[in-house]
Amino acid sequence: MQNYITKSEKINYCVGLSGQNLVYSLIGASFFTYFMTDIALFPAIIVSALLIIMKVWDGINDPVVGSFIDKHTFKNGEKMRPFLRYTPLPVGVFSVLLFLVFSTEEDLLWLRVAYFVIMYICWDLSYTVQDVSIWGITAMVTPNADERDKFVQWARTIGSVVYSVFSTMIPMVLEMVVNATGQSWQFITLVFAIIFGLGGAMISKRADKTKERVRVIQETKQESLAESFSLLFKNRILMLVTLANLIGALGFGANLVTYFFKYEIPTDFLGNGIIGALGLSTLYYAITGAPAFIGMVFADKMKKLFKNSYINVLIFMQVFNCALRVVAFLVGFEGKKLWISMIIMGVASIPTGANSIAQTSLFCDSIDYMEWKTGKRTEGITFSMQTSFTKIASGITAGLATLALSLLKYNAIDSADVYIGTQSAAFDKWIWPLVVLTPAVASILYIIPLLFVRYGPKERAKVTAELIERRQKAEQNAETETAEN
């Protein structure tokens, strides 16, 4: 089948996506919470309330934006690309304004909170439009489904690498600059917001060089938000994969890693005692998570190995992850065994790197399927719901982790010479199983909805071929009508 995407398009899209991830490295990572509490100096209870408000707003905002995009077509016939041209500037400007700390006075707390909420709503609205468009266009860049898979693979890989590197690097470098210059945290943070927020947003504009080659000739726009949601819930592939993601949120053990290292591992574990629980947690995430990038690079190879089906790939990675985590649990964490357990979990993570690539490919497939079935394409609502459910899943994970700590009678200790033995017997008994085995249990449960996806390589080939034939006939009919008139 013919390939359509040019090399320059691929480069421009990946550069633009990298710029978008520079922005999100500031706001989507844990640094943003630290900024709110320790730099903007909002009281902890206010930060908690703001985070809840932001989650509620995200849940409402994403599908509404997606529905709007699906209902709207520009005069030139394009659906996504113009948004990639016009959204970077407001995303960049609001990114900077969001990090502007004009005062830390308690008397002005109400004004500071009101300002922050308004700026966040403006930022989130503009960013959501860009985010839905930048991923939605992956379903429209080529009618060749195999070519689209490769495009998505490299996009997801590059985006994930940029986000992972910069979300880790920014807080560390920012602190070094503050210490070296003697400038205030508020000022240096604003400088970083200009560099990574506004600068990254301007780089993200490069994504508008990507062409939309898949267009529905007929008038098939949704008429209402209700119709958009109706189409969403008819999308069997999307709903089953989304359900799997929500079930996957039950693997909340990763949120307990820092507590495990603080209260179960000696402070001199690395020999010098300089690196504490946060440093050990970073080491844990690096060993158990970094190998996943191997899976990203070889996602297409894995797909071919498993009968050209990303569903089979998703099932395999969950079984593999579960089996090796059980082995790691049995090895234990006493003394040097912890290194062996972390390496085993790192090996388990290798195929999971293909997870986001496989899911994005399946979402694109579901859009093709819905067009084949209903004549309507739903890039906007599909990818907006993907981001919305991702946020919901993260909320479930955080909530379950907090609930587990409460049931284990966890008692926060600010400072002590020795932390081991300061928690309850239940905490000491269950924290290791929760860290290692809850993701294993979630992996098995994740598989169940995937077993009901009935969309293999044959169905995909049929849908792709028939859609191409329909579009060609529609174009020929349009040309004939134009000639007759």
Side-chain angles (χ1 to χ4, degrees):
M1 187 177 289
Q2 178 184 350
N3 287 333
Y4 296 84
I5 311 172
T6 65
K7 183 177 180 180
S8 63
E9 273 185 275
K10 295 176 184 177
I11 293 173
N12 279 308
Y13 180 85
C14 289
V15 169
L17 185 64
S18 298
Q20 190 210 30
N21 276 277
L22 288 179
V23 178
Y24 204 62
S25 297
L26 274 175
I27 300 174
S30 58
F31 169 73
F32 191 57
T33 302
Y34 181 82
F35 163 77
M36 294 169 68
T37 58
D38 288 44
I39 299 176
L41 299 181
F42 290 123
I45 187 65
I46 297 294
V47 173
S48 177
L50 288 174
L51 289 173
I52 293 173
I53 292 171
M54 283 152 50
K55 287 293 183 183
V56 171
W57 166 250
D58 287 340
I60 297 172
N61 175 46
D62 288 2
V64 172
V65 168
S67 177
F68 169 77
I69 290 176
D70 279 335
K71 290 191 296 179
H72 186 273
T73 301
F74 289 84
K75 291 182 179 180
N76 62 359
E78 292 179 329
K79 185 176 179 181
M80 300 286 177
R81 194 159 75 116
F83 288 118
L84 299 179
R85 185 178 306 124
Y86 299 127
T87 53
L89 182 59
V91 168
V93 171
F94 287 121
S95 295
V96 174
L97 294 177
L98 191 58
F99 285 93
L100 176 62
V101 181
F102 58 83
S103 172
T104 56
E105 296 293 331
E106 291 186 9
D107 293 344
L108 295 176
L109 180 60
W110 67 272
L111 181 60
R112 294 167 51 214
V113 170
Y115 171 83
F116 181 85
V117 170
I118 292 171
M119 289 303 105
Y120 182 82
I121 289 175
C122 293
W123 175 84
D124 190 57
L125 181 60
S126 55
Y127 183 86
T128 299
V129 173
Q130 184 189 42
D131 195 44
V132 171
S133 300
I134 206 168
W135 287 112
I137 203 170
T138 61
M140 309 176 77
V141 70
T142 173
N144 183 336
D146 292 331
E147 184 185 25
R148 182 182 65 203
D149 282 350
K150 294 179 182 178
F151 182 73
V152 166
Q153 175 187 352
W154 285 107
R156 281 293 183 188
T157 301
I158 291 172
S160 297
V161 169
V162 171
Y163 174 76
S164 299
V165 170
F166 281 90
S167 62
T168 303
M169 181 195 75
I170 286 174
M172 179 181 67
V173 174
L174 191 150
E175 184 178 37
M176 292 171 61
V177 172
V178 169
N179 293 336
T181 62
Q183 295 288 339
S184 69
W185 280 89
Q186 290 85 358
F187 176 75
I188 299 301
T189 301
L190 184 62
V191 172
F192 270 54
I194 294 171
I195 295 172
F196 295 102
L198 183 59
M202 292 300 97
I203 293 173
S204 72
K205 192 176 183 301
R206 292 283 295 275
D208 76 355
K209 305 297 182 184
T210 311
K211 294 181 180 179
E212 294 185 16
R213 295 182 175 87
V214 177
R215 301 189 192 180
V216 181
I217 304 300
Q218 305 97 318
E219 182 62 32
T220 58
K221 295 181 292 183
Q222 288 73 269
E223 297 300 328
S224 65
L225 180 62
E227 185 183 0
S228 293
F229 274 99
S230 174
L231 290 171
L232 176 72
F233 288 105
K234 289 178 182 178
N235 192 331
R236 182 181 177 86
I237 301 171
L238 174 65
M239 297 310 297
L240 288 171
V241 175
T242 297
L243 178 59
N245 281 332
L246 290 177
I247 293 175
L250 299 176
F252 57 86
N255 287 51
L256 299 173
V257 169
T258 300
Y259 302 96
F260 165 74
F261 277 108
K262 185 173 183 178
Y263 295 103
E264 301 297 325
I265 303 300
T267 55
D268 61 351
F269 177 70
L270 292 180
N272 52 29
I274 296 176
I275 297 179
L278 289 174
L280 289 172
S281 298
T282 301
L283 180 65
Y284 172 90
Y285 292 132
I287 294 175
T288 62
F293 288 112
I294 299 174
M296 283 189 165
V297 174
F298 293 100
D300 58 333
K301 305 294 183 184
M302 293 173 62
K303 180 187 173 187
K304 292 177 182 177
L305 182 64
F306 290 96
K307 300 180 179 179
N308 275 324
S309 170
Y310 268 133
I311 291 293
N312 293 340
V313 172
L314 287 171
I315 292 174
F316 163 74
M317 69 175 64
Q318 301 304 326
V319 172
F320 188 74
N321 179 59
C322 178
L324 290 193
R325 278 187 169 271
V326 170
V327 173
F329 169 73
L330 294 176
V331 169
F333 65 89
E334 296 81 5
K336 301 302 180 183
K337 289 182 180 179
L338 181 57
W339 290 108
I340 300 174
S341 296
M342 288 194 293
I343 291 172
I344 292 172
M345 285 186 279
V347 174
S349 76
I350 291 175
T352 63
N355 185 73
S356 62
I357 295 169
Q359 289 192 21
T360 302
S361 176
L362 288 170
F363 288 143
C364 291
D365 284 344
S366 76
I367 293 167
D368 282 351
Y369 176 76
M370 288 303 293
E371 182 188 353
W372 176 77
K373 186 176 181 180
T374 68
K376 299 180 180 182
R377 291 188 66 84
T378 57
E379 290 89 354
I381 194 72
T382 297
F383 282 96
S384 68
M385 291 307 293
Q386 177 195 10
T387 58
S388 180
F389 280 113
T390 298
K391 295 168 185 174
I392 293 172
S394 67
I396 294 173
T397 301
L400 288 175
T402 306
L403 176 61
L405 289 175
S406 176
L407 294 175
L408 295 177
K409 301 186 184 325
Y410 170 73
N411 178 37
I413 298 175
D414 293 335
S415 60
D417 294 331
V418 178
Y419 289 97
I420 295 179
T422 59
Q423 294 299 320
S424 67
F427 181 96
D428 293 336
K429 178 181 179 180
W430 289 103
I431 190 67
W432 174 247
L434 289 175
V435 166
V436 181
L437 294 182
T438 54
V441 173
S443 288
I444 295 301
L445 296 176
Y446 180 100
I447 292 173
I448 296 174
L450 299 183
L451 298 177
F452 294 91
V453 177
R454 300 287 184 262
Y455 195 80
K458 291 183 180 179
E459 291 81 6
R460 187 192 204 204
K462 177 183 177 181
V463 168
T464 301
E466 290 189 13
L467 285 178
I468 291 175
E469 184 179 352
R470 285 186 199 176
R471 293 172 192 140
Q472 289 175 343
K473 287 182 178 179
E475 289 175 357
Q476 291 172 358
N477 292 337
E479 290 174 359
T480 300
E481 290 180 4
T482 301
E484 290 176 351
N485 293 332

